[in-house]
Amino acid sequence: MKMTIDNLDGTDAVDYSAALCADGPLKIARSLNVPSVCSGLLDVGDAGLGVPKRRGRAVVTAANGTVLFTGYIAMEPEALYAGMGLKGPVYRYAFSALSDEWLLDKQAVPLSGAGLALSGGQLLKTLTNRVDAGLFTTTGVMNGLSVGVFEPAQTQSWSANAGDVASATYASYRVLGGAVSLQPAGTVTHTLNDGDGTLQVAALKTASVKELANDVTVSGEMEPTAYITETFAGDGTTTAFQLSQAPFRPKKMANSAQFLTDSFNQSVLNKQIWQITDPGSHLGLSAAGLTMTGGNGFDGQTTLTAIDAVELGGALVIEAGSLQLGGASAGVVCGLYAGATQSANCFVGYKVRQSGGATVVTPFVNGAEVGTVFTMLEGHNYTLRIRLHCVEMQRVLQTYYAMADGVVKAFGGGLVTAPMSVVFELQDLGASSNTPATVLYDGSVVSSPSSCSFVAVNSVQLIGSMGYCRVTQTGSAWVAGTLPSGVKMTRLIGVAGEGVDCQVSATGKVTFLAGRVPIAGELVTVSYRGQQRAIARLHDTASVAAEAAGGVPGTAQWLGKVLKPAARSSIDCESAAVAVLSFSASRAAAASGTYQAVNPVDIWPGDVLAVTSGGQPMRVVVRRVDIVDGMGCPEVLTYRMAFANDWAEGLGLTLSEAIAADALLPQTALSSTTPAGSNVLANLQQLQVVSATGTALQVDAGMAPPGGGGFEVRRRDGDFGPGVDQDLVLRSPVRSFSIPREGQVEHYYVRMYDGSTPPVYSRFSSAVFTDLPVS
């Protein structure tokens, strides 16, 4: 092999091949989806060369011209005493170099949102450009398979995040020669047979490392469960109400999770956050923040778009602060778009237009104006907010990949449909901080997109400035009030000084601010989600039956946890369990081994070995490759390859043997052949208490019951089904029904069931909690 090192001292690359020592041969270690390492021993004295420097660039090339390694010496070479020479002590120098991505690993990974239903290639390009755009080329990045949800970890290096992207999409990444590449595992296949002169199949060694498993239980993250509506009675003086449970909040939330925030206080627009389309140079920065000086007059051609899409789950707040608009302004501010940035695709946003010579803003929902038109005064600063609430926290389901019978298959995926509540509010920053925000629209839509692109500015002809912009996830809680007159309104959640009504703590305490206390007779309803550990148990009935032959039990159980990609719900856990069973129930179970060859075609981790030995075919993914220079002439390169199937070493999903300690283990297993979702009915997302008297609660289930079924009401959650009557309240065959009142504080759980035997129920309950006087 030929090795050159550029010590970055102005002398360019120097050939160090003659300095390589035979008793410390050059080695290249390649592992799947982690940086490669090149190491060896140099005798620079005899070769008349200088000691390599840290950060020196090393390039290793085979005799046939194949580039085997490019990277940087990560630390100062270590001097090893070799004895005494004619001129005194003799030292050799042990060096270690990391592949090119070491340059990216030295830099911070910016905070960013989750990638939603994007290909691995798109995610890797975005990650690379965010860390250091232009450092490496990305033309070799193939789009490949899509991941459901991927969120880069700011605490991890670029290579760790890139490895997670590649693994989640059953692919392999590498950085070689200043170029990042990504290709699906198995894109390159090496076909081998007995007696192959280049690759000796006789060197093949396999070992079983895990037993067969045909009954799999996997746990995931904490997930939202019961759909809870909790109702209190206002008396004109009570300011704080304690919820029965702490509302579900995403794992990474403290007080809130900011998907995006920009104060527009840098010298240029931040391309780690935004995609900028501005052919007429109408968007810029000034002391006032983002400055808009017009547009080209066309919808969707002058835009400031967030790189990350927004998942429309839970409670979201979109906010544009210190906003001034004037002139002949036209366009959309703070828009969420389901598709291309065109007004017709705008799910929600503030439409800006001219009316009677004045600039006005109006709520814009599904491409149409709704609510109240507001005239913006010249010279006034405003804060515009859009509040969104969806009872579903996770709208994009996870996708898992596994190789079964030599073919990569996908498990899971899909989107969750749900209604959405929408509130548009506006605050004049020149008014008192205690002045309530002006609500321009308070309504709902029956169906909402699962995710949208966020466009801070879609300027047809916007003129003005924006001081800051942010998108925040505040959890699952949503507060509404019903006045004695029957008028309903959303009670705004936030912090004092924002013109809101109340605050909701992480522990579930709802505190109303001065001047916003619920009046006597007002019903305060808080909607939120309960929580528990996501879990699923599935079995392979065919495997269980086959293993039971001979009279012994056929069940082989395995319990574990899904680490990556994250299983955010029980549905995700079910998908992961099916993926696991696709390879764990094989009679071969887990297999790993090694293969050794001399001077083969260059092999990388992620390639597939298709080996036929003794008439038995086997396809395995290469996980590691060690290349050792035999220091011979002609060149002798020994490739030592380690391979494994998915049960021995996960690729498409990473598992842990330790199941979550707080997981409630299912007592029965579902069949892995049952279509996803066919074992449960729809959840009652829109169940609500229509009215409450001293004797009864009138409930609307929000949907019609299935044929032969209805709605089952119980005092406790989890014991739904026929024959369990100790906490049964009633079963109703119709959508609207009454629950008799029994006391001031009441807890009821409702699920839908069908007419099958045994009946099928909703996955989660809709809970009705009340703290209301009975007289």
Side-chain angles (χ1 to χ4, degrees):
M1 286 191 285
K2 177 181 179 181
M3 184 179 73
T4 62
I5 300 177
D6 184 351
N7 289 308
L8 307 179
D9 55 5
T11 59
D12 295 328
V14 177
D15 191 345
Y16 274 75
S17 304
L20 294 170
C21 297
D23 52 353
L26 190 69
K27 298 179 181 179
I28 298 173
R30 300 169 173 169
S31 295
L32 185 60
N33 294 330
V34 297
S36 299
V37 179
C38 177
S39 60
L41 198 62
L42 295 172
D43 187 348
V44 296
D46 289 346
L49 299 170
V51 178
K53 303 296 184 183
R54 190 181 74 86
R55 298 178 65 89
R57 179 167 173 77
V59 178
V60 179
T61 309
N64 62 6
T66 301
V67 178
L68 303 177
F69 175 86
T70 60
Y72 295 85
I73 297 175
M75 60 190 70
E76 297 292 347
E78 179 184 3
L80 302 177
Y81 180 68
M84 292 295 294
L86 295 176
K87 297 182 180 180
V90 176
Y91 293 91
R92 290 173 176 173
Y93 293 88
F95 73 92
S96 180
L98 294 175
S99 47
D100 284 351
E101 61 262 45
W102 179 75
L103 290 180
L104 290 172
D105 285 349
K106 301 292 287 182
Q107 303 181 58
V109 174
L111 180 65
S112 60
L116 304 173
L118 296 176
S119 70
Q122 291 173 289
L123 291 169
L124 186 58
K125 287 179 181 178
T126 299
L127 175 67
T128 304
N129 291 334
R130 270 197 163 122
V131 173
D132 195 332
L135 183 61
F136 296 131
T137 63
T138 57
T139 54
V141 174
M142 300 172 61
N143 279 338
L145 301 172
S146 295
V147 66
V149 180
F150 177 80
E151 187 167 0
Q154 192 179 17
T155 56
Q156 293 186 162
S157 64
W158 178 91
S159 62
N161 281 297
D164 288 346
V165 168
S167 296
T169 56
Y170 216 87
S172 62
Y173 94 84
R174 73 185 70 154
V175 186
L176 186 70
V180 179
S181 64
L182 179 81
Q183 60 184 22
T187 299
V188 178
T189 299
H190 305 276
T191 303
L192 314 172
N193 294 283
D194 285 328
D196 192 298
T198 303
L199 299 175
Q200 299 299 313
V201 179
L204 184 66
K205 298 178 181 179
T206 62
S208 177
V209 295
K210 276 185 185 176
E211 294 184 3
L212 173 147
N214 53 29
D215 188 323
V216 170
T217 302
V218 294
S219 64
E221 308 293 337
M222 295 299 294
E223 71 170 330
T225 52
Y227 301 78
I228 302 173
T229 56
E230 190 157 3
T231 305
F232 305 91
D235 57 13
T237 59
T238 301
T239 61
F241 301 86
Q242 182 63 51
L243 301 177
S244 300
Q245 298 182 18
F248 175 84
R249 297 160 68 84
K251 180 178 65 174
K252 295 186 177 181
M253 282 184 62
N255 293 322
S256 62
Q258 289 189 346
F259 288 148
L260 176 150
T261 181
D262 195 346
S263 297
F264 300 120
N265 55 2
Q266 301 181 15
S267 57
V268 294
L269 288 168
N270 190 345
K271 292 185 178 181
Q272 293 181 334
I273 299 177
W274 305 105
Q275 293 176 340
I276 306 158
T277 304
D278 187 17
S281 299
H282 296 292
L283 304 179
L285 294 175
S286 68
L290 173 67
T291 304
M292 301 162 281
T293 58
N296 60 6
F298 294 98
D299 182 24
Q301 295 193 13
T302 302
T303 60
L304 187 66
T305 305
I307 293 174
D308 301 314
V310 178
E311 186 176 19
L312 302 188
L316 297 166
V317 180
I318 301 170
E319 183 173 353
S322 298
L323 181 70
Q324 288 189 1
L325 292 173
S329 287
V332 177
V333 175
C334 290
L336 290 176
Y337 292 82
T341 306
Q342 299 288 332
S343 293
N345 297 328
C346 185
F347 172 57
V348 294
Y350 275 97
K351 181 72 174 289
V352 182
R353 59 177 175 82
Q354 296 299 298
S355 177
T359 298
V360 300
V361 294
T362 181
F364 203 51
V365 177
N366 283 328
E369 294 187 11
V370 296
T372 303
V373 177
F374 183 89
T375 301
M376 303 193 74
L377 300 178
E378 190 74 26
H380 281 230
N381 285 351
Y382 297 91
T383 296
L384 304 184
R385 295 190 190 94
I386 304 174
R387 297 179 186 270
L388 304 167
H389 179 254
C390 179
V391 293
E392 299 294 345
M393 294 294 296
Q394 288 129 9
R395 307 289 304 278
V396 181
L397 300 178
Q398 195 61 272
T399 304
Y400 296 96
Y401 298 97
M403 182 173 285
D405 300 323
V407 178
V408 177
K409 298 181 179 179
F411 303 88
L415 305 174
V416 177
T417 58
M420 181 79 72
S421 297
V422 183
V423 175
F424 287 77
E425 68 188 77
L426 178 146
Q427 188 179 9
D428 189 334
L429 298 182
S432 167
S433 62
N434 197 42
T435 301
T438 301
V439 175
L440 303 181
Y441 178 76
D442 187 349
S444 61
V445 292
V446 175
S447 180
S448 61
S450 299
S451 64
C452 284
S453 58
F454 172 63
V455 183
V457 170
N458 174 11
S459 178
V460 176
Q461 191 70 27
L462 292 176
I463 299 172
S465 62
M466 182 187 297
Y468 68 88
C469 180
R470 62 184 174 219
V471 180
T472 307
Q473 223 287 354
T474 61
S476 62
W478 188 257
V479 182
T482 303
L483 299 177
S485 62
V487 174
K488 296 183 178 180
M489 59 183 176
T490 300
R491 290 292 217 146
L492 309 181
I493 305 172
V495 298
E498 292 184 344
V500 299
D501 300 310
C502 60
Q503 298 173 322
V504 180
S505 71
T507 59
K509 185 177 181 180
V510 182
T511 304
F512 285 86
L513 304 177
R516 318 287 206 282
V517 178
I519 64 174
E522 179 181 348
L523 296 182
V524 178
T525 301
V526 185
S527 302
Y528 62 99
R529 298 291 299 273
Q531 59 185 332
Q532 68 181 26
R533 179 70 60 179
I535 195 165
R537 179 184 175 190
L538 279 79
H539 65 179
D540 186 319
T541 52
S543 175
V544 172
E547 292 296 308
V552 297
T555 298
Q557 190 177 34
W558 181 86
L559 292 83
K561 183 178 181 180
V562 181
L563 300 179
K564 297 176 183 177
R568 303 189 299 167
S569 66
S570 294
I571 299 176
D572 289 346
C573 287
E574 290 178 4
S575 300
V578 176
V580 171
L581 284 169
S582 71
F583 50 75
S584 69
S586 167
R587 283 296 181 95
S592 65
T594 60
Y595 196 98
Q596 183 169 308
V598 176
N599 291 344
V601 175
D602 194 29
I603 298 173
W604 281 83
D607 292 353
V608 165
L609 300 183
V611 181
T612 302
S613 182
Q616 297 298 316
M618 178 176 64
R619 291 174 60 89
V620 290
V621 177
V622 177
R623 307 304 172 111
R624 287 172 296 281
V625 178
D626 292 331
I627 306 172
V628 181
D629 186 1
M631 304 302 290
C633 186
E635 183 177 66
V636 178
L637 300 181
T638 300
Y639 278 64
R640 295 171 182 161
M641 291 154 279
F643 62 84
N645 62 13
D646 285 355
W647 192 217
E649 187 175 334
L651 177 55
L653 70 168
T654 304
L655 303 170
S656 167
E657 296 279 352
I659 198 166
D662 57 357
L664 182 62
L665 300 182
Q667 297 303 302
T668 58
L670 302 174
S671 172
S672 60
T673 59
T674 301
S678 63
N679 60 311
V680 294
L681 298 182
N683 295 315
L684 302 176
Q685 298 173 330
Q686 300 185 71
L687 182 142
Q688 61 179 327
V689 177
V690 177
S691 64
T693 67
T695 59
L697 301 173
Q698 188 65 34
V699 175
D700 177 10
M703 62 190 306
F711 305 96
E712 189 169 295
V713 183
R714 292 184 175 270
R715 295 184 182 88
R716 294 179 179 85
D717 200 2
D719 285 332
F720 286 83
V724 182
D725 298 329
Q726 58 267 29
D727 60 359
L728 178 67
V729 177
L730 60 90
R731 293 187 178 97
S732 171
V734 296
R735 168 175 174 166
S736 182
F737 54 90
S738 295
I739 302 176
R741 296 290 308 278
E742 295 182 350
Q744 177 159 326
V745 178
E746 297 170 298
H747 289 181
Y748 297 108
Y749 298 87
V750 186
R751 295 195 192 192
M752 183 165 60
Y753 64 93
D754 65 9
S756 58
T757 304
V760 176
Y761 284 78
S762 304
R763 183 184 295 273
F764 297 122
S765 297
S766 291
V768 176
F769 294 175
T770 59
D771 186 353
L772 300 171
V774 293
S775 63

